[in-house]
Amino acid sequence: MTHLTLIERSPDPERPADRPRPSIAERIRNVGMTRMAALALVLATIAAIVWVNVSSASYDRFWETHLVFGIEDFQLEFTLHALVNDALMAIFFFTVGLEVRREFAIGELTSWSRAVVPVLAAIAGLVIPALVFVLFNRDSGQAHAWGVVISTDTAFLVGALALVGPKAPGRLRVFLLALAVVDDIGALSIIALVYTADFNPLPLIVAAVGLVGIYFTRYVRSGRGPIYVSLSIVVWLAFLASGVHPTLAGVAVALLIPVYRPDRRAVEQALELARTFQQSPNTQYARAAANSLRESISINERLQAAYAPYVAFVILPLFALANAGVVLSPEILARAATSPLTWGIVAALVIGKFVGVFGSAAFMRVTGIGSFGAGLSLDRIAGGAALCGIGFTISLFIVELAVDPAMRNEARVGVLSASILAFVLATVVFRISDAVRPPDDGTKTLMRPVDPQRDHIIGPVEAPLTIVEYGDYQCSFCSRASGSIDEVRAELGDRLRYVWRHAPLTSYHPNALAAAEAAEAAARQGAFIAFGKSLFADQERQLPSDIMRRASELGLDMARFEEDLRSSEITGRVRDDMLDAEAMDITAVPTFYVNGRRHVGPYDAQSLIRALEASAPQPAPELGRDSTDRG
């Protein structure tokens, strides 16, 4: 029987594989969509500036071109500029709303204890820049435009982090993305509450009915796509008629789109249909297999994946082309140089954002509020806080809504200047941070100490000798190492505590992540060690049906086990271990930490025992206690 599980040979931790020199095509692919999207946005911004300064008349004439949609008495008239800002940007805000919905449902913001640090940092990063801006513009007549400085451009933020960030930015990236989600919520709320003119509440009744319809569409068995599209258009038109900015319709619709973790039974059913199609290829089975695979993933995630390329490479570049056209004449630059509006924007984004985000994070670190994972140090947060001053997309968007037309060029100069300065400041902070760190920082020592309340410990908690293993349930090297660990435990007895942490090499082992999450779900019923041993015993069979079979054979409560598999806490726990592994530059498994120091060399039982004895902090006492499994 042919299995769909494909297991490649993972890197030998003792002999890392030589990597061939990448081709030009591979290098382009490795740039990543995030960097490419940021580059596209930069190029569109430069094109807009060049165009408007070469021929401002043609630039204005092009974007003021009028378009008429509809028939007979029902017609909508837009300029090209309004079409981009009101219609296309609704799709952008729709994708933002999808991300917000996902983070609150199954992402970083599901648990307050995990979310408190980025949430409070984001709030401070909204309030402090607004206060700085108002301080600069209290006498200029433009104080009401404080919304320009509150938001961080997520696309530029992530792209810039990939370009100039630290070597292992995983934990910082998670922190900044969670912060950006809260930042987006604040910016969208302010657009709705502060920058909505000519409000007419009656069309919002129609919008509410449409949104109710969108919510209940999830229960329709088939043909949901056309229903979602039709109702979304109705909601957008109702927002347009109400005076509320129509882009917010995209957010409202997105927040009602279902999001859930893939159901393992649905995945298994999709695999069975794929096998059936393989055995008897025909159109009916092909359609059934394709539909089953698609339905196993939530529509929220499918829509994010579908729209992401269009938003990144079409909508946002068009927005920049339509809104970043700053006339850089000597007169305008001279006015900007003395304008409180320009300097208020620059100071608020570059200084206010940094003070708000970094200052609040430093306060939380000192006072012990929230949890900072391994690798999320204050110097890393300082670089990320500087990057938060890149306020581009929504800043330019609010310039169009809040700033007097005669002063918009000055405001755009401020936004562009602030974004450049924030990028330069972040680069300097990251370079200084890297320079002052020891060369082996984060690679030779265990970043996160053993925590009896969290870690899976075999042996007495007070044992003087400790081995921490970062491993992967589909890795053959880890399977062999488990025998060595058993020998070490038999030799040292109660003098040793052994800790397992997850480092699934997903690029080599397609089921390793699911196996790690399943082991954590089993741990909630006291079966972490037993479940891990069963995974090692048959590494080629770790499909969803195999995982459920193992749980049943171990006598677990299956209803509880399935519920735990869908838990965001389980996902977050495994992800924490993976981010720790990234921060410590773990690229091959098993990787051992012996008494807090990274073990280099063979990991047979005798080698590990010699390393433990050599690094023992003191003569090991005889505790006389039985080994315990705290999984």
Side-chain angles (χ1 to χ4, degrees), residues 156-157 159-161 163-165 346 349-351 354 382-391 415-433:
F156 268 133
L157 174 72
L161 181 64
L163 287 171
V164 302
V346 171
L349 286 173
V350 178
I351 300 173
F354 181 85
L387 284 180
C388 289
I390 303 178
V415 171
L416 297 177
S417 301
S419 298
I420 294 170
L421 289 173
F423 179 81
V424 172
L425 176 61
T427 303
V428 171
V429 171
F430 282 130
R431 293 299 169 265
I432 293 175
S433 171

Short mmCIF file of all heavy atoms in Angstrom, two decimals, residues 156-157 159-161 163-165 346 349-351 354 382-391 415-433:
data_model
loop_
_atom_site.label_atom_id
_atom_site.label_comp_id
_atom_site.label_asym_id
_atom_site.label_seq_id
_atom_site.Cartn_x
_atom_site.Cartn_y
_atom_site.Cartn_z
N PHE A 156 5.14 46.74 5.20
CA PHE A 156 6.49 47.27 5.29
C PHE A 156 7.20 46.77 6.56
O PHE A 156 8.41 46.50 6.55
CB PHE A 156 6.46 48.80 5.31
CG PHE A 156 6.60 49.41 3.94
CD1 PHE A 156 5.74 50.42 3.52
CD2 PHE A 156 7.58 48.97 3.06
CE1 PHE A 156 5.88 50.98 2.27
CE2 PHE A 156 7.72 49.53 1.80
CZ PHE A 156 6.87 50.54 1.40
N LEU A 157 6.45 46.66 7.65
CA LEU A 157 7.03 46.21 8.91
C LEU A 157 7.65 44.82 8.76
O LEU A 157 8.82 44.59 9.11
CB LEU A 157 5.96 46.19 9.99
CG LEU A 157 6.35 45.59 11.35
CD1 LEU A 157 7.29 46.51 12.09
CD2 LEU A 157 5.10 45.32 12.19
N GLY A 159 8.31 43.16 5.92
CA GLY A 159 9.34 43.16 4.90
C GLY A 159 10.65 43.75 5.41
O GLY A 159 11.73 43.20 5.15
N ALA A 160 10.56 44.84 6.15
CA ALA A 160 11.78 45.46 6.70
C ALA A 160 12.43 44.57 7.74
O ALA A 160 13.67 44.48 7.81
CB ALA A 160 11.43 46.83 7.31
N LEU A 161 11.63 43.87 8.54
CA LEU A 161 12.19 42.95 9.53
C LEU A 161 12.98 41.84 8.84
O LEU A 161 14.05 41.44 9.30
CB LEU A 161 11.08 42.36 10.39
CG LEU A 161 11.52 41.39 11.49
CD1 LEU A 161 12.38 42.09 12.53
CD2 LEU A 161 10.31 40.73 12.15
N LEU A 163 14.50 42.12 6.06
CA LEU A 163 15.70 42.70 5.43
C LEU A 163 16.78 43.05 6.45
O LEU A 163 17.96 42.77 6.23
CB LEU A 163 15.32 43.95 4.64
CG LEU A 163 14.55 43.74 3.32
CD1 LEU A 163 14.07 45.07 2.78
CD2 LEU A 163 15.43 43.03 2.30
N VAL A 164 16.41 43.67 7.56
CA VAL A 164 17.42 44.21 8.48
C VAL A 164 17.31 43.64 9.88
O VAL A 164 18.07 44.04 10.76
CB VAL A 164 17.32 45.76 8.56
CG1 VAL A 164 17.50 46.37 7.19
CG2 VAL A 164 16.00 46.20 9.19
N GLY A 165 16.39 42.70 10.11
CA GLY A 165 16.19 42.17 11.45
C GLY A 165 17.31 41.24 11.89
O GLY A 165 18.25 40.95 11.14
N VAL A 346 6.50 63.40 11.56
CA VAL A 346 7.82 62.77 11.70
C VAL A 346 8.10 62.44 13.17
O VAL A 346 8.51 61.31 13.50
CB VAL A 346 8.92 63.68 11.13
CG1 VAL A 346 10.30 63.13 11.47
CG2 VAL A 346 8.76 63.83 9.62
N LEU A 349 5.68 59.54 14.49
CA LEU A 349 5.95 58.20 13.98
C LEU A 349 7.32 57.68 14.41
O LEU A 349 7.47 56.53 14.81
CB LEU A 349 5.84 58.18 12.46
CG LEU A 349 4.42 58.24 11.88
CD1 LEU A 349 4.44 58.38 10.37
CD2 LEU A 349 3.61 57.00 12.28
N VAL A 350 8.34 58.52 14.33
CA VAL A 350 9.70 58.05 14.63
C VAL A 350 9.94 57.98 16.13
O VAL A 350 10.46 56.98 16.65
CB VAL A 350 10.75 58.95 13.94
CG1 VAL A 350 12.15 58.49 14.31
CG2 VAL A 350 10.56 58.93 12.43
N ILE A 351 9.57 59.05 16.85
CA ILE A 351 9.84 59.09 18.28
C ILE A 351 8.67 58.54 19.09
O ILE A 351 8.84 57.72 19.99
CB ILE A 351 10.16 60.53 18.73
CG1 ILE A 351 11.40 61.06 17.97
CG2 ILE A 351 10.39 60.60 20.23
CD1 ILE A 351 11.69 62.52 18.22
N PHE A 354 8.28 54.74 18.85
CA PHE A 354 9.36 54.07 19.56
C PHE A 354 9.15 54.15 21.07
O PHE A 354 9.25 53.14 21.78
CB PHE A 354 10.71 54.70 19.19
CG PHE A 354 11.88 54.06 19.87
CD1 PHE A 354 12.47 52.92 19.34
CD2 PHE A 354 12.38 54.58 21.06
CE1 PHE A 354 13.55 52.31 19.98
CE2 PHE A 354 13.45 53.99 21.71
CZ PHE A 354 14.03 52.85 21.16
N ALA A 382 13.54 46.93 20.90
CA ALA A 382 13.89 48.30 20.51
C ALA A 382 13.95 48.44 18.99
O ALA A 382 13.44 49.40 18.42
CB ALA A 382 15.23 48.70 21.14
N GLY A 383 14.58 47.46 18.32
CA GLY A 383 14.61 47.50 16.86
C GLY A 383 13.23 47.38 16.25
O GLY A 383 12.88 48.08 15.30
N GLY A 384 12.40 46.48 16.82
CA GLY A 384 11.03 46.34 16.33
C GLY A 384 10.21 47.59 16.57
O GLY A 384 9.40 47.98 15.73
N ALA A 385 10.42 48.24 17.73
CA ALA A 385 9.69 49.48 18.02
C ALA A 385 10.05 50.57 17.02
O ALA A 385 9.19 51.36 16.60
CB ALA A 385 10.01 49.94 19.45
N ALA A 386 11.32 50.62 16.62
CA ALA A 386 11.72 51.60 15.60
C ALA A 386 11.02 51.31 14.28
O ALA A 386 10.56 52.23 13.59
CB ALA A 386 13.24 51.58 15.44
N LEU A 387 10.93 50.04 13.92
CA LEU A 387 10.24 49.68 12.66
C LEU A 387 8.76 50.07 12.69
O LEU A 387 8.16 50.32 11.64
CB LEU A 387 10.36 48.17 12.41
CG LEU A 387 11.70 47.65 11.89
CD1 LEU A 387 11.64 46.15 11.71
CD2 LEU A 387 12.08 48.33 10.57
N CYS A 388 8.17 50.11 13.87
CA CYS A 388 6.74 50.47 13.98
C CYS A 388 6.48 51.90 13.52
O CYS A 388 5.33 52.28 13.29
CB CYS A 388 6.26 50.30 15.42
SG CYS A 388 6.12 48.57 15.93
N GLY A 389 7.54 52.70 13.39
CA GLY A 389 7.38 54.06 12.88
C GLY A 389 7.15 54.13 11.38
O GLY A 389 6.92 55.22 10.84
N ILE A 390 7.20 52.99 10.69
CA ILE A 390 6.89 52.98 9.24
C ILE A 390 5.38 52.97 9.11
O ILE A 390 4.73 51.93 9.11
CB ILE A 390 7.52 51.75 8.55
CG1 ILE A 390 9.03 51.72 8.77
CG2 ILE A 390 7.20 51.77 7.07
CD1 ILE A 390 9.71 50.51 8.16
N GLY A 391 4.80 54.14 9.04
CA GLY A 391 3.35 54.25 8.89
C GLY A 391 3.03 54.71 7.50
O GLY A 391 3.03 55.91 7.22
N VAL A 415 5.00 61.72 6.12
CA VAL A 415 4.84 60.26 6.19
C VAL A 415 6.02 59.55 5.54
O VAL A 415 6.59 58.60 6.10
CB VAL A 415 3.51 59.84 5.51
CG1 VAL A 415 3.44 58.31 5.38
CG2 VAL A 415 2.31 60.34 6.31
N LEU A 416 6.41 59.99 4.34
CA LEU A 416 7.52 59.35 3.64
C LEU A 416 8.84 59.54 4.40
O LEU A 416 9.63 58.60 4.53
CB LEU A 416 7.64 59.90 2.22
CG LEU A 416 6.44 59.63 1.29
CD1 LEU A 416 6.65 60.30 -0.06
CD2 LEU A 416 6.22 58.14 1.12
N SER A 417 9.07 60.74 4.89
CA SER A 417 10.30 61.00 5.64
C SER A 417 10.37 60.17 6.90
O SER A 417 11.41 59.59 7.24
CB SER A 417 10.41 62.49 5.99
OG SER A 417 10.40 63.29 4.83
N ALA A 418 9.24 60.10 7.62
CA ALA A 418 9.20 59.32 8.85
C ALA A 418 9.46 57.84 8.58
O ALA A 418 10.17 57.18 9.35
CB ALA A 418 7.85 59.50 9.54
N SER A 419 8.90 57.31 7.50
CA SER A 419 9.09 55.90 7.18
C SER A 419 10.55 55.60 6.88
O SER A 419 11.10 54.58 7.32
CB SER A 419 8.21 55.51 5.98
OG SER A 419 6.83 55.67 6.30
N ILE A 420 11.21 56.49 6.15
CA ILE A 420 12.64 56.30 5.84
C ILE A 420 13.47 56.38 7.12
O ILE A 420 14.35 55.54 7.37
CB ILE A 420 13.11 57.35 4.81
CG1 ILE A 420 12.41 57.10 3.47
CG2 ILE A 420 14.62 57.29 4.63
CD1 ILE A 420 12.62 58.20 2.46
N LEU A 421 13.20 57.39 7.95
CA LEU A 421 13.96 57.55 9.19
C LEU A 421 13.75 56.37 10.14
O LEU A 421 14.69 55.92 10.80
CB LEU A 421 13.55 58.86 9.88
CG LEU A 421 14.01 60.16 9.20
CD1 LEU A 421 13.38 61.36 9.89
CD2 LEU A 421 15.54 60.26 9.23
N ALA A 422 12.52 55.87 10.21
CA ALA A 422 12.24 54.73 11.09
C ALA A 422 13.00 53.50 10.62
O ALA A 422 13.54 52.74 11.44
CB ALA A 422 10.73 54.45 11.11
N PHE A 423 13.06 53.29 9.31
CA PHE A 423 13.80 52.16 8.76
C PHE A 423 15.29 52.28 9.09
O PHE A 423 15.94 51.31 9.51
CB PHE A 423 13.59 52.07 7.26
CG PHE A 423 14.34 50.95 6.59
CD1 PHE A 423 13.85 49.66 6.62
CD2 PHE A 423 15.54 51.19 5.95
CE1 PHE A 423 14.54 48.62 6.02
CE2 PHE A 423 16.24 50.16 5.34
CZ PHE A 423 15.74 48.86 5.38
N VAL A 424 15.85 53.48 8.91
CA VAL A 424 17.28 53.70 9.19
C VAL A 424 17.55 53.50 10.68
O VAL A 424 18.54 52.85 11.07
CB VAL A 424 17.70 55.11 8.74
CG1 VAL A 424 19.12 55.42 9.22
CG2 VAL A 424 17.61 55.22 7.21
N LEU A 425 16.68 54.04 11.54
CA LEU A 425 16.86 53.90 12.99
C LEU A 425 16.83 52.43 13.39
O LEU A 425 17.65 51.97 14.19
CB LEU A 425 15.76 54.68 13.73
CG LEU A 425 15.76 54.55 15.25
CD1 LEU A 425 17.06 55.08 15.85
CD2 LEU A 425 14.55 55.28 15.85
N ALA A 426 15.87 51.67 12.85
CA ALA A 426 15.78 50.25 13.18
C ALA A 426 17.03 49.50 12.74
O ALA A 426 17.53 48.63 13.46
CB ALA A 426 14.54 49.64 12.52
N THR A 427 17.54 49.83 11.55
CA THR A 427 18.75 49.18 11.06
C THR A 427 19.91 49.43 12.01
O THR A 427 20.67 48.51 12.35
CB THR A 427 19.10 49.71 9.66
OG1 THR A 427 18.00 49.49 8.77
CG2 THR A 427 20.33 49.02 9.10
N VAL A 428 20.07 50.68 12.46
CA VAL A 428 21.15 51.02 13.39
C VAL A 428 20.98 50.26 14.71
O VAL A 428 21.95 49.69 15.25
CB VAL A 428 21.17 52.55 13.64
CG1 VAL A 428 22.15 52.89 14.77
CG2 VAL A 428 21.55 53.29 12.36
N VAL A 429 19.76 50.22 15.23
CA VAL A 429 19.52 49.53 16.51
C VAL A 429 19.85 48.05 16.40
O VAL A 429 20.53 47.47 17.26
CB VAL A 429 18.06 49.72 16.96
CG1 VAL A 429 17.75 48.84 18.17
CG2 VAL A 429 17.79 51.18 17.30
N PHE A 430 19.39 47.41 15.32
CA PHE A 430 19.68 45.98 15.15
C PHE A 430 21.17 45.72 14.98
O PHE A 430 21.70 44.73 15.50
CB PHE A 430 18.91 45.42 13.95
CG PHE A 430 17.45 45.17 14.21
CD1 PHE A 430 16.47 45.65 13.35
CD2 PHE A 430 17.06 44.43 15.32
CE1 PHE A 430 15.13 45.41 13.58
CE2 PHE A 430 15.70 44.19 15.57
CZ PHE A 430 14.74 44.68 14.69
N ARG A 431 21.86 46.58 14.24
CA ARG A 431 23.30 46.37 14.03
C ARG A 431 24.07 46.53 15.34
O ARG A 431 25.00 45.79 15.63
CB ARG A 431 23.82 47.34 12.96
CG ARG A 431 23.27 47.08 11.57
CD ARG A 431 23.65 45.69 11.07
NE ARG A 431 22.93 45.34 9.85
CZ ARG A 431 21.80 44.65 9.82
NH1 ARG A 431 21.26 44.22 10.96
NH2 ARG A 431 21.22 44.36 8.68
N ILE A 432 23.71 47.54 16.13
CA ILE A 432 24.37 47.73 17.42
C ILE A 432 24.09 46.54 18.33
O ILE A 432 24.97 46.01 19.01
CB ILE A 432 23.92 49.05 18.08
CG1 ILE A 432 24.41 50.25 17.26
CG2 ILE A 432 24.42 49.13 19.52
CD1 ILE A 432 23.90 51.59 17.77
N SER A 433 22.83 46.09 18.33
CA SER A 433 22.45 44.95 19.15
C SER A 433 23.25 43.71 18.78
O SER A 433 23.75 42.99 19.66
CB SER A 433 20.95 44.68 18.98
OG SER A 433 20.58 43.46 19.59
#
